[in-house]
Amino acid sequence: RGMYKKVHANREPGQEMDPVNKEKFKLLEEIQFEFESKKRVKPKSENGIAPNWMNHYMTLKAFFDRHGTLDGVDAAEGSGQGLQKFLQEQRRTYRTFYKNIGKAGFANLDPSFQEKFTLLQELNFLFEDDKWEKKFAELEEFMQQHGHCRVPQGHPLYNWIRGLRYDYSLMEK
């Protein structure tokens, strides 16, 4: 698909394709290859929440029911690492949507987002934790040592900074 787009993007209207690419595309067309990728539609339940999200939530709820808290969800648990990622994503979603639009705008969110927040609140989920403040302090220390915030790949702060940039890019859209 990438080659198809590249070849067609660089051609002028009416310009012939080079013979090698022309033959390749002809062979692909003969087997009815679809050049344009179709967007995969994720299935949703009746409340608009994707089954994958609900599966993670149910695992989290089971943990909460067993332990009475969400503290201690870690890689030692059978699916702890998956739950850790799930929790991080929920916090990111909270920061990106809820925190940025305020409580008044929360009512205008998609009902499935509202439902997700409500379900997580029933488990006493902490949408904010002190990890951000700790990472920020580490970044300040990095800045003092190096005179910039361009953390190299492989540094413990690198993925955190990537996440910040991703969150920022979502707010810019």
Side-chain angles (χ1 to χ4, degrees), residues 55-68:
N55 290 340
H56 280 94
Y57 171 78
M58 295 308 289
T59 305
L60 190 64
K61 185 173 181 339
F63 182 93
F64 179 79
D65 290 343
R66 271 194 319 277
H67 302 281

Side-chain angles (χ1 to χ4, degrees), residues 23-150:
E23 182 60 28
K24 288 178 183 177
F25 288 122
K26 183 180 175 197
L27 291 170
L28 288 167
E29 287 169 350
E30 285 174 6
I31 62 168
Q32 299 173 354
F33 179 79
E34 294 181 17
F35 291 99
E36 296 296 324
S37 63
K38 294 180 180 175
K39 299 290 181 202
R40 231 175 40 171
V41 177
K42 295 181 181 179
K44 303 226 177 190
S45 65
E46 65 233 19
N47 61 1
I49 298 175
N52 190 38
W53 192 96
M54 283 305 295
N55 290 340
H56 280 94
Y57 171 78
M58 295 308 289
T59 305
L60 190 64
K61 185 173 181 339
F63 182 93
F64 179 79
D65 290 343
R66 271 194 319 277
H67 302 281
T69 181
L70 295 179
D71 294 342
V73 174
D74 58 18
E77 249 326 274
S79 59
Q81 202 166 22
L83 284 179
Q84 284 271 310
K85 283 181 115 172
F86 176 72
L87 295 175
Q88 289 169 354
E89 185 58 35
Q90 301 322 300
R91 287 187 177 105
R92 175 173 284 147
T93 301
Y94 171 80
R95 284 192 310 271
T96 304
F97 293 101
Y98 184 75
K99 201 171 175 188
N100 292 327
I101 62 172
K103 289 188 180 196
F106 184 68
N108 298 327
L109 272 181
D110 180 302
S112 68
F113 279 111
Q114 293 176 12
E115 180 70 17
K116 288 177 185 179
F117 286 120
T118 302
L119 288 170
L120 290 169
Q121 286 171 333
E122 290 172 4
L123 302 180
N124 300 324
F125 178 71
L126 296 175
F127 288 97
E128 306 225 29
D129 59 12
D130 63 349
K131 289 179 186 174
W132 193 93
E133 285 79 11
K134 288 177 185 173
K135 293 287 188 185
F136 181 73
E138 290 177 38
L139 182 60
E140 280 184 315
E141 187 177 314
F142 182 93
M143 170 63 179
Q144 289 172 352
Q145 289 175 355
H146 302 280
H148 61 79
C149 292
R150 294 181 307 276

Side-chain angles (χ1 to χ4, degrees), residues 11-25:
R11 269 189 338 148
E12 297 292 325
Q15 179 185 3
E16 279 290 313
M17 193 183 311
D18 73 77
V20 174
N21 282 330
K22 189 174 186 176
E23 182 60 28
K24 288 178 183 177
F25 288 122

